[in-house]
């Protein structure tokens, strides 16, 4: 027989909840290690080096 | 507009880097790919202080492989890290990078070291042939002049303008925060769309309405993802930068400008959503360092603001949006020449 389950205040959804934030948080669980910000601006400046 | 800029020496390339990153790097590794004799992608990461060399090198090269046309790589190390005489800083990391770049088919062509006082070749230890050079040689280089002539400026980080709105704005904005009913969402999205299509329609009242709408997390999420109009409907994918299209970058620029305008009408304690929006768009443009600073400002404005915490973590994990890795979809500044 399954245990009884009782909802508590901890299980309620916050009034200002954002599903997007929840998904972001889940995505970060499988993200890689902390590396710091990575800048990678791909711009075509038409630069050549002789 | 179609002429190539010809670089004749390392000072030109060192001058180019701040133009493409938006600021002069500090304590950073910058790798620039070569496509034959043309410069390709520019990548900046934090200097690997305390990081294991091989893992660091593999991570850095994994980003660079986005440039499928790369045939070589130039490395620039910005640091004031002190090392023993006749020893280069981060020498083990550079050696690991040399191996990984060779394996990836984009071997290291040259490397330079830039400190806060001088620059010099990193690979050559002989000062007789590769002497220390002043930083002025970079700013006075032909490459720097050519970039400026094209209309490029190293503007650095743009801080948000202070609140200059009317007294009582805080209460007005709070009153405009929707309850979250579907009709609230649609009304906010309609106002946002109208302002993005024609920013001149932004008035003090619409600014306060939009600032109020952005206080509601779900409506804020929709307004942010509505900037990328031609993406699929799944807004979570859009927020994570996982979408197959090229964003309408003019609309992105407009959205950032509007968000900066909204902040003038929004007092402290209510500015975090706009700062997140601006930072997220910087991230989509491939400028994660700037993005991280906006998220930090958001957290200073509202402590523990959850979206700022999560986006800051996203950026700190080195994640990039799909469009950043594809030259056909990535942000391209509009230069005047």
């Amino acid at each position: 027989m399954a245990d009884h389950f009782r909802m508590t205040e901890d299980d309620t959804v916050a009034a200002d909840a954002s599903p997007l934030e929840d998904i972001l948080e889940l995505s970060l669980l499988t993200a890689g290690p902390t590396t710091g910000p990575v800048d990678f601006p791909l711009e075509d400046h038409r630069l050549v080096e002789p | 507009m179609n002429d190539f800029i010809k670089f004749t020496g390392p000072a030109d390339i060192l001058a180019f880097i701040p133009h493409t990153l938006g600021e002069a790097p500090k304590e950073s590794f910058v790798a620039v790919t070569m496509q034959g004799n043309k410069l390709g992608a520019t990548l900046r990461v934090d200097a690997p202080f305390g990081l294991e060399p091989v893992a660091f090198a593999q991570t850095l090269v994994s980003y660079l492989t986005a440039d499928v046309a790369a045939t070589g790589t130039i490395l620039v190390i910005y640091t004031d890290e002190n090392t023993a005489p006749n020893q280069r800083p981060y020498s083990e990391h550079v050696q690991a990078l040399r191996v990984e770049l060779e394996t990836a088919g984009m071997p290291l062509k040259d490397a330079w070291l830039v400190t806060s006082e001088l620059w010099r070749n990193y690979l050559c230890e002989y000062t007789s042939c590769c002497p220390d050079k002043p930083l002025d040689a970079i700013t006075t280089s032909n490459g720097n002049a050519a970039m400026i002539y094209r209309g490029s400026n190293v503007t650095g980080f743009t801080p948000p303008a202070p609140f200059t709105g009317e007294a009582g704005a805080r209460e007005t904005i709070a009153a405009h925060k929707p309850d979250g009913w579907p009709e609230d969402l649609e009304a906010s999205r309609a106002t946002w769309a109208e302002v993005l299509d024609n920013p001149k329609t932004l008035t003090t009242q619409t600014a306060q309405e939009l600032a109020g709408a952005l206080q509601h997390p779900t409506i804020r999420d929709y307004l942010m993802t509505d900037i990328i109009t031609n993406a699929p409907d799944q807004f979570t994918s859009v927020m994570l930068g996982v979408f197959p299209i090229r964003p309408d970058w003019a609309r992105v620029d407009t959205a950032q400008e509007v968000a900066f305008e909204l902040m003038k009408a929004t007092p402290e304690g209510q500015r975090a959503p706009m700062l997140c929006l601006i930072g997220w768009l910087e991230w989509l443009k491939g400028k994660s360092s700037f993005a991280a600073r906006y998220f930090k400002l958001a957290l200073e404005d509202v402590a523990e603001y959850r979206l700022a915490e999560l986006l800051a973590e996203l950026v700190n994990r080195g994640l990039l949006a799909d469009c950043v890795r594809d030259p056909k979809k990535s942000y391209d500044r509009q230069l005047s020449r």
Side-chain angles (χ1 to χ4, degrees), chain B:
Chain B
M1 181 72 192
N2 294 320
D3 293 340
F4 280 84
I5 300 176
K6 189 169 286 186
F7 284 173
T8 55
D12 291 333
I13 295 174
L14 295 177
F16 153 73
I17 289 170
H19 280 278
T20 193
L21 293 176
E23 66 178 350
K26 293 177 181 172
E27 297 302 323
S28 300
F29 271 41
V30 173
V32 182
T33 58
M34 301 287 298
Q35 301 169 351
N37 66 341
K38 295 178 186 171
L39 296 186
T42 306
L43 173 75
R44 189 218 66 86
V45 298
D46 290 351
F49 185 77
L51 293 183
E52 198 279 317
V54 173
F56 168 76
Q58 289 173 341
T59 301
L60 192 143
V61 173
S62 72
Y63 291 115
L64 291 176
T65 53
D67 184 357
V68 293
T71 57
T73 308
I74 289 169
L75 180 66
V76 186
I77 298 161
Y78 295 85
T79 186
D80 284 323
E81 188 75 14
N82 288 321
T83 55
N86 300 322
Q87 190 180 348
R88 294 288 195 244
Y90 300 107
S91 56
E92 291 181 7
H93 297 84
V94 173
Q95 180 54 32
L97 262 175
R98 194 192 279 267
V99 172
E100 295 299 329
L101 288 169
E102 187 78 36
T103 304
M106 49 178 80
L108 185 64
K109 300 289 189 185
D110 212 339
W112 298 291
L113 174 68
V114 181
T115 74
S116 57
E117 295 175 350
L118 54 87
W119 65 275
R120 62 183 172 226
N121 192 287
Y122 183 93
L123 302 175
C124 176
E125 295 179 356
Y126 300 104
T127 53
S128 56
C129 65
C130 297
D132 294 350
K133 297 197 175 177
L135 298 178
D136 283 355
I138 299 172
T139 50
T140 59
S141 67
N142 288 335
N144 195 38
M147 293 299 296
I148 293 170
Y149 178 73
R150 286 241 164 121
S152 175
N153 287 306
V154 183
T155 51
F157 178 74
T158 305
F163 169 63
T164 53
E166 56 198 35
R170 184 184 311 280
E171 292 72 22
T172 307
I173 289 170
H176 279 302
K177 180 179 176 181
D179 292 327
W181 296 103
E183 52 268 33
D184 295 333
L185 173 63
E186 292 314 310
S188 299
R189 293 178 81 182
T191 305
W192 182 233
E194 189 179 345
V195 170
L196 292 187
D197 287 343
N198 184 6
K200 289 180 181 172
T201 61
L202 186 68
T203 62
T204 301
Q205 185 181 338
T206 51
Q208 290 176 335
E209 286 172 8
L210 286 171
L214 285 163
Q215 306 302 313
H216 190 289
T218 303
I219 293 177
R220 173 206 63 200
D221 298 345
Y222 273 97
L223 298 189
M224 287 175 72
T225 51
D226 277 353
I227 297 166
I228 314 296
T229 46
N230 45 357
D233 283 341
Q234 300 96 339
F235 74 179
T236 50
S237 299
V238 175
M239 186 60 91
L240 288 165
V242 183
F243 48 82
I245 51 87
R246 181 183 192 275
D248 178 349
W249 290 117
R251 184 176 171 88
V252 169
D253 282 339
T254 299
Q256 275 190 314
E257 289 163 15
V258 169
F260 276 114
E261 285 301 311
L262 294 185
M263 294 188 68
K264 293 178 185 171
T266 310
E268 289 181 3
Q270 293 176 322
R271 295 155 69 93
M274 296 82 164
L275 289 161
C276 284
L277 185 152
I278 293 167
W280 176 64
L281 295 178
E282 286 293 310
W283 177 69
L284 287 184
K285 291 177 176 180
K287 300 198 171 178
S288 296
S289 293
F290 288 169
R293 277 179 241 178
Y294 287 115
F295 301 144
K296 184 169 182 286
L297 288 175
L299 288 168
E300 288 170 4
D301 188 62
V302 178
E304 300 181 5
Y305 191 70
R306 190 173 177 223
L307 182 62
E309 288 180 332
L310 292 168
L311 289 174
E313 188 64 22
L314 181 95
V315 162
N316 268 323
R317 300 288 186 94
L319 294 174
L320 296 176
D322 286 353
C323 58
V324 172
R325 296 175 186 268
D326 186 342
K328 292 176 183 163
K329 298 171 186 167
S330 61
Y331 182 67
D332 198 5
R333 282 186 303 161
Q334 296 300 304
L335 301 181
S336 57
R337 294 171 192 268

